[in-house]
Amino acid sequence: MSDPSSASIVTTPPSTMPTEAGSGAPVDAGLPENARREKPRGLLGDAWRDLRRKPLFWISAAFILVFVVMAAFPWLFTGGDAVNGSLSNSQVKPSGDAWFGYDVQGRDVYARVIYGARASILVALVSTIGTLLIGGTIGMIAGYRGGWVDALLSRFADIFFGLPFVLGAIVILTTFNGADSNNNEWQIMGLVVMSLVVLSWPVVMRLMRSSVLATKEADYIVAARALGAGTGRIILKHLLPNCLAPLLVYGTILVGSFIGAEATLSFLGIGLKSPVVSWGIMISEAQNYIRISPFLLFFPAAFLVTAVLSFVMLGEAVREALDPKLR
Amino acid sequence: MSDILVTEQSKPGADGSGRPSGRLLEVEDLRVEFRTRDGVAKVINGVTYHVDAGETLAVLGESGSGKSVTAQTIMGILDTPPGFVTGGQVRFHGKDMLAMSAEERRRIRGEGIAMVFQDALSALNPVFTVGFQIAEQFRVRRGLSRADAKKRAIEMLDQVKIPNAKGRFSNYPHQFSGGMRQRAMIAMSLALDPEVLIADEPTTALDVTVQAQIMDLLAEMQRERQMGLILITHDLGVVADVADRIAVMYAGRIVEEANVYDLYAKPAHPYTIGLIDSIPRMDEKGQQLRTIKGLPPNLMNIPPGCPFNPRCPMAQPVCREKVPPLLQVGVSRASACHFAEELVNRD
Amino acid sequence: MTENILEVRDLVKHYPVTRGVVFKKTIGHVKAVDGVSMELRSGETLGVVGESGCGKSTLARVLMNLERPTAGSVLYKGQDISKLSGGALRRLRRQIQLVMQDPYTSLNPRMTVGDLIGEPFEIHPDVAPRGSRRQKVKELLDLVGLNPEHINRYPHQFSGGQRQRIGIARALALRPEIIICDEPVSALDVSIQAQVMNLLEKLQDEFGLSYVFIAHDLSVVRHLSDRVAVMYLGKIVEIGTEDEIYERPTHPYTQALLSAVPVPDPTLRDQKAIIRLTGDVPSPVSPPSGCRFRTRCWKAQDVCAEQVPLLEIRSGSDHPSACHFAEKREIVATHEA
């Protein structure tokens, strides 16, 4: 592991430390040249160095990059029309002309899958980030402060936790996004994101809270307090890095399940609606024709699974990189 | 003296010092490695020792020396993976346990060889009462009725001097204090009257005053039952009080074996010398403690030659080249040092 | 002459035992520290020994101002530090530092050694200008006998003894006057323990540090301490110089404790008269009335249940002892042959 003789007292040369406290004259003597030039490193820097060596990271990052570009600039990938089709093409199988075939209404499935990425990925990512931020913050406050603050926040979270997911989403979305409302695409997305966040944050909050409770009593937190560290430093430098791992893992799973949840809500007719395109809408439409035209389900589902898997793998790689013990 | 050096590897302690003969438990050239994702750690590299009936063998070593892993291998509770036995034998009454079927080994456990763990709180199941856990052994292994088993369990608790054994029978482990829990643990391991008891750091988690009580109890139980006792510890003080023979382990090897008086009077291995010198002594207050420099080796990368050579004040070129075998030096003692003779013959 | 750098006066720390989640009800108090008075002189090492649950770790936390005392005061150079807060408290932290027991849990696993030892400078930026910090960290590493080039490693890449050195370097960074050592070597192997003890001694000589050295190992405490306080169930039962406590103990508990220490010399096996204490330490929630040790004491009389023995010098003794029947007794076990 390390040079055994380095730990011996016998080999310690006489100290060169200045005896006056506060007189910060740098003493370079006795140190090898390269030791002085070596750049200081921190957790994030080391995590990045570690990530760069992982093929898993590069593969998943490449996929995610493709999906993100797809969501931002779908016209780079296809010249087809995702919204309008010709009924004469209804349920035509994949061919050289239309790689993924045509759906019931004769729209190009390839174009729709590309254009569908935006809604699906945007909703899932924004909801995940929102859930992690809100749940994480409240969980941190509850766990760190403890006492009545914790009791109050925990009971508050329990209320939301008690709401059944689908029922809760139906209530929220039918209230704000009923059949007679004429919200535009972005407003609907915002509403969907809001309902997902509102119904999911308690899980993250509990994760964070229990992780903070376990870490808060750790000796190194006591040691930091003994040094005079303030609340901000303890939370940012000591608690957060050590409590983040379970959240990251859960976050990657959330991305996947939110893509699915968005699809569910679309299917129920309370989420995104045609003519907006999303993988969820496509999957729910394809269900009725699964026997006759399985490709209608296959392509959006394949994109969805690939996207979810990429996020899960990325999360795993990041979690490993952030834990020095696994390096 | 030098002709003894060239004798082949001999079994130390085989001098028949008046104890009941017939090897009860023998470990011979045991090798264990841990295969992890970081590499292979050679945890035990040819350990040979034995214990006879009515004898206390202390296995002394620091963390990572392999003393506990040896015990786990004897008991057959080594975690596999990552631990793998790669060679050697563990003979109980002359039969190699490593070659036995799982069922045969299970039968020896408890009745033949039993173990006391360091942390009684985690070794006892928290959801059952202490009494139940002892009585269960009598019911399962001895086929006693519920009432008889309870009676025997209370007897056992009484034997280990737990006050009000009857009342304590239905208490849960967490209701016991540390010392009482260790007593209950001892009662449990002695329930089936084993021939060998392995005590793995039995008092490390306890306070000094309680430690003395527990060591007394162990010694008394051993005398009464004429058990072979293997006491695994890092505490040179405890060893001096109770052991007959001592085997000192370092980096998965026995580096010295001797009877307790010889070992403290004139250690024959530099590591043992260093250990004994490292203990803070009452008569040298204020002076620097003599230390062993450096750190124990990384078991994935044990230095060539003698594993102790990087830390040894006596190290010579030969120590970096040849692994010193555990050879007999003088009467009933052995040392794995190229310069053992000189150490024994020093003034 | 030797001034008192730290004075503890009638220190009490009780923890409430509560039941219920939302509506908490206090059903009792753990009397962890219950009336402790002592002083630490400049440049000396005060050993505090006692078994688990005697309150010595709580004492460390109160001395470090990590917990507020229930009653009593801790005076640093005459100033009551238990009432400080904010900036004043932070300034005080520069003078009193802590070395903790477990080197495996007391270092943040996600910080490099450089960050760990540099953290004191970030918290107290006026101690060292930003540019010189890295250099200071390396000097500290060198000072505690670690390789300065290992500055970018993580704690798990070090062994227990090396980690404890990192902890010591961290405590030393601000150049404190007092270091509270809470069982600093009890998690270490014998050979490593000796290295760390030597290091602590070397640093004390070099920087004129004062130590409060808390441990359960009596020989370790004796090796390092000038004076020793023996604690039992939240109270000091005997206090005196190292010589007074180890050679002429007068409290039955001290005597029993000393006699129970295993001596690494098999030839003394049969000469030792171990005082066998029966039973375990009572619960600190409801300690025995009068003298707290009376339930395990062979000298206990009626008066012991009625009157709390004061920690004072009694006739025939040269140092304070809290026993109604304090008297000397030969303890063979502590002497080297």
Side-chain angles (χ1 to χ4, degrees):
Chain A
M1 200 185 273
S2 57
D3 177 19
S5 66
S6 67
S8 158
I9 291 184
V10 191
T11 61
T12 306
S15 163
T16 50
M17 181 123 179
T19 331
E20 301 278 310
S23 81
V27 185
D28 283 359
L31 283 167
E33 201 65 21
N34 60 350
R36 234 175 304 156
R37 267 205 296 273
E38 200 182 343
K39 272 202 349 223
R41 289 179 353 216
L43 181 70
L44 289 178
D46 280 337
W48 172 233
R49 281 159 52 95
D50 187 49
L51 272 181
R52 280 189 310 197
R53 290 201 306 270
K54 284 196 165 139
L56 191 70
F57 166 74
W58 287 113
I59 296 169
S60 53
F63 270 109
I64 287 170
L65 186 73
V66 169
F67 281 120
V68 168
V69 173
M70 197 184 287
F73 315 105
W75 50 86
L76 292 177
F77 290 81
T78 175
D81 190 336
V83 183
N84 304 307
S86 145
L87 276 176
S88 59
N89 285 336
S90 181
Q91 299 191 41
V92 169
K93 290 208 161 47
S95 65
D97 184 33
W99 294 345
F100 292 1
Y102 292 95
D103 73 355
V104 183
Q105 300 191 43
R107 295 172 293 197
D108 183 357
V109 174
Y110 176 69
R112 282 178 67 77
V113 165
I114 298 291
Y115 277 90
R118 174 183 288 176
S120 295
I121 287 180
L122 205 62
V123 166
L125 274 186
V126 174
S127 318
T128 304
I129 292 169
T131 308
L132 290 182
L133 278 181
I134 292 174
T137 311
I138 296 178
M140 177 64 84
I141 294 171
Y144 188 72
R145 283 296 306 276
W148 65 268
V149 177
D150 179 25
L152 195 76
L153 290 173
S154 294
R155 295 297 85 76
F156 186 62
D158 285 348
I159 295 171
F160 284 89
F161 197 68
L163 294 175
F165 189 84
V166 174
L167 186 65
I170 290 178
V171 170
I172 296 173
L173 288 172
T174 45
T175 311
F176 296 102
N177 189 30
D180 51 344
S181 65
N182 43 11
N183 296 320
N184 67 26
E185 182 186 350
W186 297 102
Q187 281 171 319
I188 298 177
M189 269 196 222
L191 284 169
V192 171
V193 166
M194 187 194 80
S195 55
L196 291 178
V197 171
V198 161
L199 294 168
S200 308
W201 69 267
V203 184
V204 175
M205 181 262 182
R206 284 185 174 189
L207 260 179
M208 188 64 165
R209 176 177 168 272
S210 61
S211 176
V212 169
L213 281 181
T215 314
K216 190 170 74 165
E217 298 302 320
D219 278 353
Y220 56 83
I221 304 286
V222 179
R225 282 176 57 209
L227 277 176
T231 309
R233 165 171 285 273
I234 286 179
I235 288 179
L236 289 178
K237 279 261 182 180
H238 296 280
L239 277 177
L240 209 54
N242 285 291
C243 297
L244 216 53
L247 252 67
L248 278 178
V249 175
Y250 188 67
T252 55
I253 299 168
L254 266 187
V255 175
S257 62
F258 278 160
I259 295 179
E262 179 271 317
T264 311
L265 297 177
S266 303
F267 178 70
L268 291 171
I270 49 175
L272 300 173
K273 291 169 195 160
S274 238
V276 177
V277 192
S278 85
W279 294 337
I281 294 173
M282 293 180 69
I283 290 171
S284 61
E285 282 175 359
Q287 281 192 61
N288 300 327
Y289 310 100
I290 191 159
R291 295 259 182 112
I292 316 155
S293 313
F295 63 91
L296 288 183
L297 181 71
F298 176 79
F299 289 112
F303 270 62
L304 190 145
V305 167
T306 314
V308 171
L309 220 62
S310 306
F311 280 108
V312 171
M313 287 195 312
L314 183 76
E316 187 68 10
V318 169
R319 188 184 62 82
E320 274 185 22
L322 282 179
D323 190 347
K325 281 184 209 133
L326 293 175
R327 233 168 255 157
Chain B
M1 260 323 203
S2 60
D3 50 350
I4 295 178
L5 248 182
V6 289
T7 53
E8 57 183 323
Q9 176 124 11
S10 49
K11 291 213 185 74
D15 60 319
S17 52
R19 292 203 188 81
S21 62
R23 297 277 179 257
L24 187 52
L25 179 74
E26 295 167 275
V27 179
E28 195 179 314
D29 199 29
L30 188 69
R31 288 167 194 276
V32 175
E33 56 186 40
F34 277 61
R35 297 171 193 157
T36 66
R37 62 185 248 180
D38 296 328
V40 176
K42 293 197 158 48
V43 179
I44 301 182
N45 306 296
V47 164
T48 302
Y49 64 62
H50 70 271
V51 67
D52 294 330
E55 180 191 47
T56 301
L57 170 74
V59 179
L60 186 75
E62 299 185 283
S63 43
S65 62
K67 56 189 195 302
S68 293
V69 176
T70 315
Q72 287 168 9
T73 314
I74 295 173
M75 284 301 287
I77 52 171
L78 184 70
D79 279 335
T80 309
F84 293 90
V85 178
T86 54
Q89 289 191 331
V90 177
R91 286 192 296 269
F92 183 61
H93 285 299
K95 277 187 75 182
D96 184 10
M97 290 172 66
L98 298 180
M100 286 180 188
S101 69
E103 176 57 28
E104 277 178 293
R105 293 201 75 174
R106 203 179 58 79
R107 234 175 288 137
I108 291 180
R109 239 174 274 154
E111 285 176 64
I113 310 173
M115 190 156 170
V116 174
F117 296 90
Q118 171 179 350
D119 185 359
L121 186 57
S122 56
L124 293 168
N125 189 332
V127 299
F128 295 111
T129 65
V130 168
F132 175 84
Q133 293 182 55
I134 300 173
E136 197 194 14
Q137 299 194 60
F138 290 116
R139 295 204 294 130
V140 176
R141 304 289 285 268
R142 291 281 151 83
L144 294 190
S145 71
R146 200 171 275 271
D148 285 346
K150 178 171 179 178
K151 218 170 79 197
R152 292 290 300 280
I154 292 175
E155 273 172 36
M156 280 311 302
L157 288 175
D158 203 46
Q159 271 187 42
V160 295
K161 304 191 180 62
I162 290 182
N164 182 23
K166 220 177 194 132
R168 287 301 219 163
F169 178 85
S170 44
N171 279 14
Y172 288 89
H174 72 266
Q175 293 168 307
F176 279 65
S177 68
M180 285 301 147
R181 226 159 18 220
Q182 198 56 276
R183 283 173 192 272
M185 180 87 207
I186 291 172
M188 201 158 124
S189 51
L190 293 182
L192 298 177
D193 212 3
E195 293 170 80
V196 177
L197 182 69
I198 303 176
D200 189 357
E201 304 264 9
T203 59
T204 306
L206 303 175
D207 286 318
V208 208
T209 54
V210 183
Q211 168 176 302
Q213 297 171 4
I214 297 293
M215 286 319 300
D216 282 353
L217 176 71
L218 273 176
E220 187 187 324
M221 292 286 136
Q222 188 230 14
R223 256 195 321 276
E224 273 176 17
R225 294 158 180 252
Q226 282 298 298
M227 290 185 300
L229 176 65
I230 299 180
L231 177 71
I232 295 168
T233 181
H234 68 277
D235 189 326
L236 288 127
V238 170
V239 171
D241 274 353
V242 297
D244 296 319
R245 270 187 307 124
I246 300 183
V248 183
M249 284 189 74
Y250 185 78
R253 285 188 176 86
I254 304 256
V255 293
E256 180 169 7
E257 184 176 340
N259 84 47
V260 63
Y261 298 102
D262 289 346
L263 188 111
Y264 281 85
K266 205 174 242 182
H269 193 284
Y271 176 63
T272 320
I273 298 174
L275 268 189
I276 292 177
D277 281 351
S278 307
I279 313 170
R281 294 168 86 103
M282 302 299 190
D283 52 355
E284 281 178 9
K285 203 216 157 281
Q287 293 178 32
Q288 280 236 324
L289 286 170
R290 276 170 301 193
T291 62
I292 306 177
K293 69 176 186 194
L295 301 168
N298 179 354
L299 295 174
M300 297 196 187
N301 186 18
I302 298 175
C306 171
F308 188 61
N309 85 66
R311 304 178 71 187
C312 183
M314 299 172 56
Q316 301 290 322
V318 62
C319 302
R320 284 183 278 279
E321 285 149 22
K322 267 175 62 187
V323 179
L326 185 67
L327 293 179
Q328 188 146 3
V329 278
V331 184
S332 86
R333 62 184 305 180
S335 161
C337 175
H338 291 302
F339 304 99
E341 288 291 310
E342 284 145 57
L343 286 173
V344 169
N345 294 332
R346 76 189 190 277
D347 294 317
Chain C
M1 270 287 285
T2 48
E3 46 161 346
N4 289 342
I5 192 163
L6 200 65
E7 274 182 63
V8 177
R9 291 280 155 259
D10 303 314
L11 197 69
V12 177
K13 179 67 192 176
H14 291 182
Y15 294 99
V17 182
T18 55
R19 200 166 269 172
V21 181
V22 181
F23 302 102
K24 288 206 170 81
K25 210 172 72 186
T26 304
I27 54 170
H29 283 95
V30 176
K31 301 178 175 68
V33 174
D34 210 9
V36 162
S37 298
M38 59 184 198
E39 56 277 322
L40 176 70
R41 292 169 199 152
S42 183
E44 78 162 354
T45 301
L46 173 66
V48 178
V49 279
E51 298 179 283
S52 52
C54 74
K56 54 192 196 298
S57 286
T58 305
L59 180 67
R61 285 178 160 240
V62 177
L63 290 184
M64 279 308 296
N65 217 333
L66 293 168
E67 312 257 6
R68 301 259 152 166
T70 311
S73 54
V74 180
L75 305 171
Y76 165 73
K77 292 185 175 167
Q79 179 193 21
D80 189 350
I81 62 172
S82 55
K83 308 227 161 35
L84 294 181
S85 61
L89 179 58
R90 190 147 58 241
R91 274 193 295 283
L92 172 86
R93 298 250 184 255
R94 286 174 54 174
Q95 305 308 332
I96 309 180
Q97 275 299 314
L98 175 71
V99 174
M100 298 176 84
Q101 170 176 6
D102 189 344
Y104 292 89
T105 58
S106 57
L107 302 175
N108 186 339
R110 287 168 204 266
M111 284 168 87
T112 61
V113 171
D115 289 343
L116 281 167
I117 302 179
E119 189 173 30
F121 300 130
E122 282 184 33
I123 297 170
H124 305 270
D126 44 325
V127 175
R130 184 165 282 277
S132 73
R133 285 181 198 162
R134 197 85 185 152
Q135 195 50 48
K136 287 217 154 216
V137 169
K138 287 185 175 172
E139 285 162 21
L140 282 164
L141 279 171
D142 189 49
L143 186 69
V144 296
L146 291 172
N147 187 343
E149 286 173 46
H150 291 174
I151 193 162
N152 282 329
R153 293 197 179 187
Y154 288 88
H156 72 97
Q157 293 170 299
F158 292 89
S159 69
Q162 290 176 318
R163 291 191 206 196
Q164 200 58 303
R165 287 166 191 265
I166 298 171
I168 292 170
R170 224 160 108 90
L172 216 58
L174 299 174
R175 310 299 320 281
E177 292 176 81
I178 302 169
I179 295 186
I180 315 269
C181 306
D182 187 4
E183 303 260 13
V185 295
S186 46
L188 307 175
D189 277 322
V190 188
S191 67
I192 307 299
Q193 171 179 309
Q195 294 175 354
V196 172
M197 282 167 67
N198 279 346
L199 174 66
L200 286 171
E201 261 186 334
K202 183 190 92 164
L203 295 173
Q204 179 165 44
D205 292 346
E206 214 161 298
F207 299 115
L209 297 165
S210 310
Y211 289 144
V212 174
F213 193 92
I214 296 169
H216 69 274
D217 186 324
L218 286 118
S219 41
V220 167
V221 167
R222 179 168 204 189
H223 186 83
L224 286 174
S225 304
D226 302 304
R227 289 189 309 126
V228 178
V230 183
M231 278 185 82
Y232 186 79
L233 264 184
K235 280 188 183 300
I236 292 182
V237 295
E238 188 165 3
I239 187 166
T241 64
E242 160 263 319
D243 208 43
E244 286 164 348
I245 297 292
Y246 284 82
E247 300 293 337
R248 300 185 291 282
T250 60
H251 196 283
Y253 177 65
T254 315
Q255 293 166 351
L257 206 57
L258 284 171
S259 80
V261 177
V263 183
D265 187 349
T267 56
L268 291 175
R269 225 183 243 198
D270 306 317
Q271 302 168 31
K272 278 173 41 176
I274 294 186
I275 304 168
R276 297 276 190 277
L277 286 184
T278 50
D280 290 295
V281 183
S283 157
V285 177
S286 50
S289 66
C291 173
R292 295 186 169 192
F293 183 58
R294 69 177 165 82
T295 51
R296 299 173 77 192
C297 184
W298 64 94
K299 287 183 180 174
Q301 308 274 330
D302 290 344
V303 63
C304 300
E306 290 150 16
Q307 271 183 37
V308 179
L310 297 173
L311 183 64
E312 60 188 13
I313 301 176
R314 281 158 227 270
S315 62
S317 163
D318 48 4
H319 60 278
S321 168
C323 176
H324 294 300
F325 307 103
E327 60 178 350
K328 270 189 269 185
R329 181 185 170 122
E330 276 308 308
I331 306 295
V332 186
T334 63
H335 299 267
E336 286 291 328

